[in-house]
Amino acid sequence: MALQFEEAEFQEAYKEIDEPQLEGGWELFTDISGIQIYRLYDKRTGLYKYKIIGGLANCTPELCADVYMDLKYRKSWDGYVKELSEKVYDGKPVIYWEVKYPFPMANRDYVYVRERRDLDVDGRKIWVILAKSASVAQQPEKSGVIRVHDYKQSLAIESDGGSGIKVFMNYFDNPGGSIPSWLINWAAKSGVPSFITDLQKACNNYASYCKQVKT
């Protein structure tokens, strides 16, 4: 099976965890609750690319990576998930994800591949998760739902030297259709910090969830 991601993509994902590279037009979009969001206008799509810098308290990098990768668990704590599943097509694990959008807009769905690597970088332990859109014949578009064909995300996680972690994320998607600018701004300014808060709670509750699943 062909590699889904190149080695260089993993290196790119973690190299900015200490000091994000913001040359070339990146601007600070919002700084709230210890989370900094930078954005860069993408001329090709008329949308923005985002870099997100933040952290979680009382959480290990491995725990955060485990929670982030656990799709069944995510359905229990992410209120925007309509449908989320992983299936294997032609030997390749592929994820289907439908996201709830506010009425009267249509939901969006994603078909994507992902890969996690737990890296040792000059003695530093860094967890990296990459994801990007994929085209799979077995997952055709659904009526009434808009397919997101252009999606890419990288996540790097490392200990902050204490009991918490630092997180760096690159993110872009083109949701298609006509979405008002207020919603896009809300998603970045409020939705991302809210997601980080929910992720923190999910990490705190993961041990209890795992015990319940096993019983």
Side-chain angles (χ1 to χ4, degrees):
M1 182 176 66
L3 292 175
Q4 297 175 152
F5 299 95
E6 301 292 336
E7 182 65 33
E9 294 181 82
F10 287 91
Q11 296 174 2
E12 286 288 325
Y14 68 71
K15 75 176 186 180
E16 296 183 70
I17 197 167
D18 290 325
E19 186 174 350
Q21 303 301 307
L22 303 172
E23 299 84 5
W26 287 93
E27 61 179 11
L28 179 63
F29 184 48
T30 188
D31 187 344
I32 183 172
S33 302
I35 301 167
Q36 296 177 319
I37 303 175
Y38 293 87
R39 69 179 185 180
L40 176 68
Y41 184 72
D42 182 61
K43 294 180 180 179
R44 178 179 63 87
T45 60
L47 300 169
Y48 286 94
K49 299 177 180 179
Y50 294 95
K51 291 184 177 184
I52 301 160
I53 306 158
L56 299 180
N58 301 314
C59 179
T60 67
E62 185 174 15
L63 170 60
C64 183
D66 287 346
V67 168
Y68 203 82
M69 294 291 288
D70 193 328
L71 300 182
K72 291 183 179 179
Y73 182 46
R74 182 162 181 170
K75 289 190 284 187
S76 73
W77 62 265
D78 186 345
Y80 292 98
V81 171
K82 175 69 181 295
E83 186 178 341
L84 185 58
S85 62
E86 183 176 60
K87 296 181 179 180
V88 177
Y89 299 115
D90 301 323
K92 179 171 65 175
V94 177
I95 296 167
Y96 175 81
W97 177 32
E98 182 178 343
V99 180
K100 299 175 186 176
Y101 266 58
F103 180 83
M105 287 179 289
N107 288 352
R108 265 59 177 176
D109 67 2
Y110 300 71
V111 176
Y112 67 96
V113 294
R114 66 177 181 173
E115 185 177 341
R116 166 183 166 176
R117 289 192 189 176
D118 305 346
L119 304 174
D120 187 319
V121 183
D122 298 325
R124 297 169 60 180
K125 301 294 185 181
I126 303 177
W127 283 252
V128 175
I129 301 170
L130 303 182
K132 63 182 178 182
S133 298
S135 179
V136 179
Q138 297 94 328
Q139 286 283 7
E141 297 185 27
K142 294 163 59 175
S143 176
V145 179
I146 296 177
R147 175 65 49 88
V148 176
H149 294 284
D150 195 358
Y151 162 69
K152 188 173 184 180
Q153 182 186 71
S154 69
L155 176 67
I157 312 165
E158 185 181 26
S159 170
D160 63 6
S163 60
I165 60 173
K166 52 184 178 179
V167 174
F168 177 77
M169 179 186 291
N170 265 301
Y171 183 88
F172 175 80
D173 78 11
N174 183 349
S178 178
I179 299 180
S181 59
W182 67 262
L183 180 59
I184 295 175
N185 289 337
W186 173 87
K189 286 189 173 181
S190 300
V192 171
S194 177
F195 174 78
I196 297 295
T197 298
D198 290 343
L199 180 60
Q200 173 79 72
K201 294 177 182 177
C203 289
N204 294 343
N205 297 329
Y206 193 52
S208 297
Y209 166 81
C210 291
K211 288 181 180 178
Q212 291 175 357
V213 170
K214 291 180 180 179
T215 57

